[in-house]
Amino acid sequence: MNQPFYKRRTAKVLVILLICFAAMQLFRPELKKQPVTADFNGPENVKVIFKKACYDCHSNETDLKWFDHLQPAYSIAVADVENGKSGLNFSEWTNMAPGDQKAKLFEILNQITTGTMPLKSYQLLHHSAILSPEEIAVVKNYAAGMIKEHPADTALINTADKQFKNWKTQNTQTPELPKTMTGIPFEPDYKNWQAISSTDRTDNGTMRVVFGNPIAVKAIAEHHINPWPDGTIIAKAAWDKIEDTDGNIKAGAFKQVEYMIKDSNKYKSTKGWGWARFKTMKLLPYGKNIGYTTECINCHRPVSNNDFVFTLPVKQ
């Protein structure tokens, strides 16, 4: 190939790429500036860690580096911030109820101990966001300090007794089934499904039984659970955990039931799963808008290698 011609063509390609790059800078999505109204109020050493690793995408204090302002990196950063704040915004932390704060803290701990957060793609250019084992230990110790055991808790016992009495006297007419914001209805038949596992949450003092519909049970028997087949429904029912002075455990008041419904096409945008939660005996659908599914996915992201399912069946 003629050397001068090759050099001219290379120069022409570089000029075109430069023009395209410059043109891209003209199209920039808006990164909305919002005030800090209810910032994280935990210990300062924990807050320093969160600010270092989380605040750029999970607060109203986003601090983009110079290279983040260049397209297409800027559009990616804006999308990451919007997505991150929809699941967790430290600038609105104290607007959450104490119980929700504790649950979110344990979700954060789960994400950082499994290495799911901060995102690997973010860490590539933001090395300061990488947490050391010592920093993770600080967060873990803070979370552990929030777990309180209450043997023979009279409040929990009285709540369970009251709920049981109300259940015995309630109207037996079948009401219209509630639905989530995404249109998923409550599935009452889960009580007749096979129990496939159990678990508990030390952060909020609940015990849970996991049920699987017939498709899920068949998949377990055939060792076909990663991924789970379409049609699978997993239900996780939760009750208060009551412990007597001798350490015996029993179920207290019913708290909620959660569903994961597998349909790779229908729920393609939410990792192939439909997500639903119904709280208390009134079966109140969880979520103020359809964005609640982002919260569900973020919580289950550490187990994406298990098709986003945390509690695996006892028999596999």
Side-chain angles (χ1 to χ4, degrees):
M1 180 181 290
N2 183 279
Q3 193 70 17
F5 172 78
Y6 175 76
K7 289 183 177 180
R8 287 197 301 272
R9 190 174 70 172
T10 302
K12 187 180 294 185
V13 170
L14 290 175
V15 169
I16 292 173
L17 290 176
L18 185 59
I19 292 173
C20 291
F21 178 75
M24 288 176 63
Q25 309 313 308
L26 301 177
F27 300 94
R28 306 173 64 79
E30 181 184 4
L31 181 59
K32 298 178 181 177
K33 296 291 185 181
Q34 296 174 310
V36 177
T37 57
D39 199 16
F40 177 75
N41 59 348
E44 188 60 29
N45 61 337
V46 176
K47 184 173 182 177
V48 167
I49 294 170
F50 287 159
K51 290 192 74 131
K52 162 189 169 179
C54 314
Y55 267 48
D56 277 352
C57 290
H58 294 281
S59 80
N60 295 342
E61 300 181 67
T62 301
D63 179 23
L64 297 181
K65 306 301 182 284
W66 68 265
F67 47 81
D68 292 320
H69 286 276
L70 300 175
Q71 287 283 41
Y74 182 73
S75 291
I76 296 172
V78 171
D80 284 346
V81 170
E82 291 179 351
N83 183 54
K85 287 167 63 175
S86 68
L88 167 64
N89 189 343
F90 281 102
S91 298
E92 299 175 356
W93 181 268
T94 54
N95 288 337
M96 291 190 290
D100 292 334
Q101 291 179 18
K102 186 189 293 186
K104 187 61 68 175
L105 177 63
F106 276 79
E107 180 185 332
I108 294 167
L109 180 60
N110 188 36
Q111 300 269 7
I112 63 176
T113 53
T114 56
T116 310
M117 286 287 173
L119 295 173
K120 299 298 183 185
S121 57
Y122 182 78
Q123 294 181 30
L124 285 175
L125 294 177
H126 303 81
H127 300 295
S128 62
I130 300 174
L131 294 179
S132 68
E134 293 76 19
E135 289 171 321
I136 294 175
V138 169
V139 179
K140 187 178 293 186
N141 290 336
Y142 173 54
M146 301 180 73
I147 299 174
K148 307 295 182 184
E149 299 291 343
H150 300 286
D153 190 315
T154 54
L156 293 180
I157 295 171
N158 292 337
T159 299
D161 290 343
K162 182 179 179 181
Q163 187 183 88
F164 180 68
K165 289 176 183 177
N166 290 339
W167 173 76
K168 286 200 303 183
T169 59
Q170 72 180 0
N171 192 325
T172 56
Q173 280 188 326
T174 303
E176 182 180 352
L177 296 179
K179 294 181 180 179
T180 65
M181 294 292 293
T182 54
I184 297 176
F186 170 72
E187 172 53 75
D189 199 42
Y190 80 89
K191 302 168 190 175
N192 300 317
W193 296 347
Q194 183 173 320
I196 60 175
S197 192
S198 63
T199 183
D200 66 4
R201 285 276 298 271
T202 56
D203 60 305
N204 60 17
T206 57
M207 55 192 299
R208 292 137 186 264
V209 175
V210 184
F211 301 90
N213 71 345
I215 294 176
V217 172
K218 183 173 184 288
I220 295 167
E222 296 176 351
H223 304 283
H224 180 200
I225 62 171
N226 196 8
W228 292 81
D230 282 359
T232 292
I233 305 179
I234 299 171
K236 183 186 290 184
W239 296 265
D240 279 331
K241 182 172 67 175
I242 298 179
E243 178 181 356
D244 64 23
T245 52
D246 295 322
N248 300 309
I249 303 294
K250 68 175 183 178
F254 175 79
K255 305 296 288 185
Q256 64 181 30
V257 59
E258 301 172 292
Y259 298 95
M260 291 178 66
I261 303 102
K262 187 63 179 287
D263 189 322
S264 345
N265 292 320
K266 184 176 181 180
Y267 301 118
K268 187 175 182 180
S269 63
T270 53
K271 307 302 181 183
W273 290 97
W275 308 83
R277 183 187 305 172
F278 299 90
K279 299 176 72 68
T280 75
M281 293 293 285
K282 295 181 180 180
L283 301 176
L284 302 173
Y286 178 80
K288 297 179 180 179
N289 53 58
I290 61 174
Y292 80 87
T293 56
T294 300
E295 179 182 340
C296 298
I297 294 167
N298 286 340
C299 180
H300 285 251
R301 198 180 298 278
V303 287
S304 58
N305 289 337
N306 290 333
D307 200 13
F308 293 89
V309 175
F310 264 110
T311 308
L312 296 179
V314 174
K315 294 182 179 180
Q316 296 185 58

